């Protein structure tokens, strides 16, 4: 009996995944155990994601819980491209809207700076990895400034506080029995930094994303027991239908999970540029297991001692992870399982949006049709870039860019419909009323249905913003300007002023109505075009501090008061010249612009 007990004790020690001294000895045996562990019932640690955030409160009372919004942590193998810019513009619009509601917003972005691909990119440029990361990370910060991105936290995975939290998280997952050591042999895509199943590869083992051959590798790695959380993930996806959005992305994730989850390697023996595995300095932590923790480490204050629990208490769980669809599996399968293992809450929503194409074609350096976001901003300005991509791409689906359509849309909407309405109204006010409002806007609108129309459109925009239907929100605000232009044309105040008397007084009220409409447009469109909205607000006689303090409740009719002096009329958005509209010095008729919805499966640059 004693001998049997001693043997049992030795076997338990041999199998104990928390004993680092025995990992190597059990490598071959563990490879076979992995397939048995998939049938093990998962331990439940906060596995149910909270209900998705709803944004039904228009009063501006945001409550005490923070609204934590994240972009991906962008990989610094190269400078930012249009896809990463699109993701961040969308995230910024959502963050600005939530702030208008009075929410305590924590907008997180940053850079993912470890891994084999980073080391290779640095070597190709004859630079040390740290030097390369500093340079590329700064290029993101510079572009975000140009695009008016109002982030609250910028995390770099090379930050010491991030490394400390990654190691603490790793140790917690290890203590839960979900990390073990084994030899792994498979086909590896260096660009994806991921082992691939042969069934998902193209002919000759080419990666379907990067169109490059995967290489055969054999490594002694540490593994995460993803298969243990098969049932928990299935239950989460079934009971919380808004955990992954849009709905067709949820269906995709459910299909992956139901097909069977396989444990995955979370360390690399052949990659030096990374965070060392605790208790094993010969291996570094897999770049995704490292980078996903950036969403939590970003919440740590720079002055405090890094601590997982303290970071979690500062805002976790995230309200929204905003990502491109190509990294959906990492965020909707791997990340939730990792959090379950560590006993942490899941994010409330993972939203996977689509890709961008150019002139209907996939972008690529080999095709010579890539778009540099820096060039786009320098050429057209941040408002134009932000507006076009949020208005013209239905959020969640793929979208297309063409310069001609870009110019036509921006000119028609921002320069003509919105900008010209403000400019001609202020011009009439200066000419006939010394740039001073004759009555309160609440009095000016009496006896008309105009106010009701505007209020309905404002509410429509609010609902669309809250549902992440950013294109529809832009459309609702544009409808307000269309309504204002129609009212202006029908009332023809320039003619009423010439009549004098009561007609002139009515015309003065009409101008107040239009300017109040412009004030509301400035606030309602500010999540999308913050600089343009400020220029509108400034011309209405407000200070920058007043603009910055505005909330969504200020879209309520009645803000402009009698006697308020407007600024001198000045175009708020210069019309962009379109070379295709000029022929032999004469302007040709503009082409009609029709919003297009592209197929969701069109492959393109990550957006």
């Amino acid at each position: 009996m004693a001998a049997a007990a001693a043997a049992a004790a030795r076997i338990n020690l041999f199998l104990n995944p928390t004993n680092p001294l025995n990992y190597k000895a059990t490598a071959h045996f563990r490879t076979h155990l992995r397939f048995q562990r998939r049938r093990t019932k998962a331990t439940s640690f906060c596995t149910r994601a909270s209900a998705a955030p709803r944004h039904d409160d228009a009063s501006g009372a945001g409550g005490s819980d923070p609204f934590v919004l994240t972009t991906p942590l962008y990989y610094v193998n190269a400078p930012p491209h249009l896809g990463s810019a699109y993701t961040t513009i969308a995230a910024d619009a959502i963050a600005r809207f939530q702030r208008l509601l009075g929410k305590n917003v924590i907008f997180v972005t940053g850079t993912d700076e470890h891994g084999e691909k980073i080391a290779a990119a640095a070597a190709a440029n004859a630079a040390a990895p740290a030097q390369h990361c500093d340079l590329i990370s700064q290029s993101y910060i510079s572009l975000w400034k140009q695009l008016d991105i109002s982030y609250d936290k910028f995390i770099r995975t090379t930050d010491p506080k991030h490394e400390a939290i990654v190691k603490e998280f790793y140790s917690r997952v290890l203590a839960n029995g979900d990390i073990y050591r084994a030899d792994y042999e498979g086909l590896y895509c260096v660009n994806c930094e991921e082992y691939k199943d042969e069934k998902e590869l193209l002919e000759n083992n080419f990666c379907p994303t990067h169109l490059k051959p995967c290489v055969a590798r054999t490594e002694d790695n540490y593994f995460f027991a993803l298969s243990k959380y098969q049932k928990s993930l299935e239950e989460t996806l079934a009971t919380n239908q808004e955990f992954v959005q849009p709905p067709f992305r949820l269906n995709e994730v459910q299909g992956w999970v139901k097909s069977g989850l396989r444990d995955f390697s979370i360390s690399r023996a052949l990659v030096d540029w990374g965070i060392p595995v605790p208790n094993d300095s010969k291996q570094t932590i897999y770049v995704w297991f490292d980078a996903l923790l950036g969403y939590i480490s970003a919440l740590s204050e720079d002055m405090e001692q890094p601590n997982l629990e303290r970071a979690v208490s500062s805002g976790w769980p995230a309200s929204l992870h905003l990502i491109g669809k190509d990294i959906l599996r990492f965020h909707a399968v791997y990340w939730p399982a990792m959090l379950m293992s560590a006993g942490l809450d899941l994010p409330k929503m993972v939203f996977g949006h689509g890709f961008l194409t150019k002139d209907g074609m996939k972008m690529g350096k080999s095709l010579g049709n890539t778009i540099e976001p820096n060039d786009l901003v320098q050429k057209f300005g941040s408002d134009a870039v932000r507006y076009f991509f949020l208005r013209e791409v239905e959020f969640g689906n793929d979208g297309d860019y063409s310069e001609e359509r870009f110019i036509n849309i921006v000119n028609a909407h921002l320069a003509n419909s919105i900008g010209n309405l403000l400019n001609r109204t202020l011009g009439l006010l200066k000419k006939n009323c010394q740039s001073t409002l004759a009555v309160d806007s609440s009095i000016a609108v009496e006896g008309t249905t105009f106010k009701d129309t505007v209020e309905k459109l404002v509410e429509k925009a609010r609902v669309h913003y809250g549902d992440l239907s950013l294109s529809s929100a832009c459309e609702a605000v544009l409808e307000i300007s269309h309504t204002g232009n129609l009212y202006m044309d029908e009332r023809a105040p320039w003619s009423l002023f010439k009549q004098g008397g009561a007609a002139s007084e009515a015309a003065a009220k009409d101008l107040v109505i239009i300017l109040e409409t412009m004030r509301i447009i400035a606030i309602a469109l500010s999540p999308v075009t913050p600089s343009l909205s400020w220029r509108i607000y400034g011309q209405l006689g407000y200070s920058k501090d007043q603009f910055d303090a505005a909330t969504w409740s200020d879209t309520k009719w009645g803000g402009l008061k009698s006697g308020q002096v407007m600024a001198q009329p000045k175009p708020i958005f210069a019309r962009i010249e379109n070379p295709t509209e000029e022929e032999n010095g004469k302007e040709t008729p503009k082409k009609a612009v029709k919003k297009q919805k592209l197929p969701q499966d069109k492959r393109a640059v990550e957006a």
Side-chain angles (χ1 to χ4, degrees):
M1 290 294 291
R10 286 194 297 273
I11 292 173
N12 287 335
L13 181 63
F14 181 74
L15 296 179
N16 183 4
T18 65
N19 184 355
L21 298 177
N22 294 313
Y23 284 150
K24 185 66 178 177
T26 62
H28 177 74
F29 191 47
R30 275 291 178 188
T31 303
H32 299 285
L33 284 181
R34 284 195 294 125
F35 300 101
Q36 299 172 9
R37 291 174 67 140
R38 289 181 198 141
R39 296 191 293 271
T40 303
K41 184 177 180 181
T43 305
S44 177
F45 290 100
C46 304
T47 58
R48 182 180 179 275
S50 304
R54 307 304 300 174
H55 317 307
D56 300 324
D57 180 13
S59 67
S64 58
D65 290 339
F67 184 92
V68 178
L69 164 68
T70 75
T71 70
L73 302 190
Y74 299 110
Y75 212 44
V76 296
N77 60 308
H81 55 67
L82 187 59
S84 50
Y86 172 66
T87 309
T88 313
I89 290 168
D92 186 67
I94 295 166
R96 288 177 182 271
F97 171 71
Q98 291 297 325
R99 293 190 191 107
L100 285 176
L101 293 183
K103 299 289 182 67
N104 173 24
V105 173
I106 304 176
F107 174 14
V108 175
T109 187
T111 45
D112 177 4
E113 303 184 10
H114 288 134
E116 181 176 1
K117 193 160 53 171
I118 303 301
N125 290 294
Q131 180 185 13
H132 170 86
C133 291
D134 288 344
L135 181 65
I136 302 299
S137 183
Q138 185 58 47
S139 72
Y140 277 91
I141 292 172
S142 177
L143 179 60
W144 294 171
K145 182 177 181 180
Q146 292 183 63
L147 285 168
D148 289 325
I149 305 301
S150 60
Y151 61 84
D152 300 289
K153 305 280 188 179
F154 191 99
I155 185 67
R156 298 178 59 183
T157 59
T158 50
D159 287 347
K161 69 176 183 180
H162 174 74
E163 179 173 345
I165 285 177
V166 169
K167 288 182 174 179
E168 185 178 349
F169 184 92
Y170 184 99
S171 297
R172 184 181 289 202
V173 174
L174 176 66
N176 195 44
D178 291 337
I179 294 177
Y180 60 91
R181 193 167 184 173
D183 288 324
Y184 191 91
E185 183 176 359
L187 294 169
Y188 190 76
C189 175
V190 175
N191 288 279
C192 290
E193 302 244 28
E194 182 184 15
Y195 283 101
K196 300 287 188 179
D197 288 335
E198 287 191 48
K199 62 183 180 181
E200 63 182 306
L201 299 178
L202 303 178
E203 189 176 355
N204 297 321
N205 294 328
F206 271 53
C207 170
T209 301
H210 296 98
L211 302 180
K212 294 181 178 180
C214 295
V215 295
R217 281 190 178 178
T218 300
E219 276 195 83
D220 166 26
N221 291 155
Y222 296 97
F223 285 78
F224 173 69
L226 177 66
S227 58
K228 176 179 175 181
Y229 295 93
Q230 170 97 31
K231 184 176 180 181
S232 296
L233 284 170
E234 288 178 351
E235 290 174 352
T236 295
L237 296 171
T239 58
N240 186 355
Q241 294 289 302
E242 295 199 5
F243 176 53
V244 177
Q245 289 295 306
F248 56 85
R249 302 272 182 240
L250 173 63
N251 296 336
E252 187 177 359
V253 173
Q254 287 177 318
W256 291 336
V257 175
K258 288 180 181 178
S259 67
L261 297 179
R262 297 175 57 188
D263 298 351
F264 69 96
S265 168
I266 59 170
S267 75
R268 294 292 182 267
L270 304 178
V271 179
D272 294 329
W273 182 243
I275 298 175
V277 171
N279 301 322
D280 189 344
S281 60
K282 295 181 179 179
Q283 299 219 25
T284 56
I285 295 176
Y286 174 46
V287 64
W288 274 105
F289 199 91
D290 159 7
L292 288 165
L293 266 297
Y295 300 136
I296 294 177
S297 64
L299 301 176
S300 294
E301 296 297 332
D302 292 333
M303 300 300 293
E304 66 184 19
Q305 185 68 27
N307 175 277
L308 180 60
E309 284 300 330
R310 191 177 295 121
V312 166
S313 67
S314 297
W316 191 260
S319 304
L320 174 64
H321 284 324
L322 193 59
I323 60 167
K325 64 182 181 180
D326 59 329
I327 53 176
L328 182 61
R329 188 192 300 264
F330 294 103
H331 286 79
V333 180
Y334 292 12
W335 181 224
M338 289 163 55
L339 291 166
M340 291 176 188
S341 177
L344 300 179
D345 289 334
L346 307 193
K348 296 176 184 178
M349 182 186 289
V350 176
F351 190 101
H353 61 74
F355 289 156
L356 298 178
T357 55
K358 183 177 185 291
D359 299 315
M361 297 178 62
K362 176 184 175 181
M363 291 188 223
K365 291 183 179 180
S366 60
L367 298 175
N369 67 343
T370 57
I371 302 172
E372 293 298 329
N374 286 287
D375 295 342
L376 209 58
V377 179
Q378 290 297 320
K379 188 174 183 179
F380 299 118
S382 64
D383 288 312
V385 174
R386 291 171 65 106
Y387 182 82
F388 176 80
F389 286 106
L390 296 185
R391 166 62 177 79
E392 283 302 289
V393 179
E394 186 175 341
F395 200 48
N397 293 332
D398 294 343
D400 186 62
Y401 168 88
S402 76
E403 183 167 302
E404 182 179 6
R405 191 162 95 249
F406 181 102
I407 293 173
N408 288 343
I409 286 292
V410 169
N411 281 342
H413 296 185
L414 302 186
N416 297 343
S417 185
I418 293 176
N420 188 51
L421 177 60
L422 175 64
N423 198 55
R424 63 176 175 154
T425 305
L426 287 175
L428 285 170
L429 189 74
K430 177 183 178 182
K431 180 179 179 180
N432 298 282
C433 305
Q434 294 75 51
S435 297
T436 305
L437 302 186
V439 296
D440 292 354
S441 57
S442 57
I443 295 175
V445 80
E446 289 177 353
T448 76
T449 59
F450 189 87
K451 173 186 172 184
D452 294 337
T453 300
V454 171
E455 287 180 340
K456 288 178 181 177
L457 290 171
V458 167
E459 175 61 13
K460 188 176 179 181
R462 185 189 69 81
V463 171
H464 285 316
Y465 274 128
D467 290 340
L468 308 185
S469 300
L470 303 179
S471 176
S472 297
C474 291
E475 181 64 27
V477 179
L478 188 67
E479 284 185 57
I480 298 175
S481 71
H482 289 334
T483 301
N485 278 294
L486 181 61
Y487 181 87
M488 190 78 155
D489 292 341
E490 289 178 346
R491 293 288 298 170
W494 50 89
S495 296
L496 294 177
F497 277 122
K498 293 178 181 178
Q499 298 176 27
S504 183
E505 291 178 4
K509 289 182 179 180
D510 291 336
L511 298 187
V512 174
I513 288 173
I514 296 301
L515 293 173
E516 175 72 357
T517 302
M518 293 306 306
R519 186 190 68 81
I520 292 171
I521 288 173
I523 298 172
L525 198 60
S526 63
V528 178
T529 58
S531 294
L532 174 65
S533 293
W534 154 235
R535 293 196 294 274
I536 295 172
Y537 225 61
Q539 289 208 10
L540 297 177
Y542 293 102
S543 69
K544 185 63 164 60
D545 287 343
Q546 287 173 306
F547 174 71
D548 292 339
T551 68
W552 191 264
S553 62
D554 290 315
T555 57
K556 184 179 180 180
W557 190 277
L560 293 180
K561 303 300 179 183
S562 173
Q564 188 162 332
V565 179
M566 304 289 102
Q568 295 301 303
K570 180 181 179 182
I572 56 168
F573 191 91
R575 187 177 183 277
I576 302 170
E577 293 301 321
N578 189 346
T580 64
E581 291 181 357
E582 297 180 4
E583 183 179 340
N584 297 324
K586 295 183 180 180
E587 195 173 36
T588 58
K590 298 176 186 177
K591 295 182 180 180
V593 177
K594 184 178 181 181
K595 190 174 177 183
Q596 300 179 7
K597 181 176 179 180
L598 295 172
Q600 295 171 7
D601 60 353
K602 184 171 287 187
R603 297 304 302 238
V605 169
E606 178 208 339

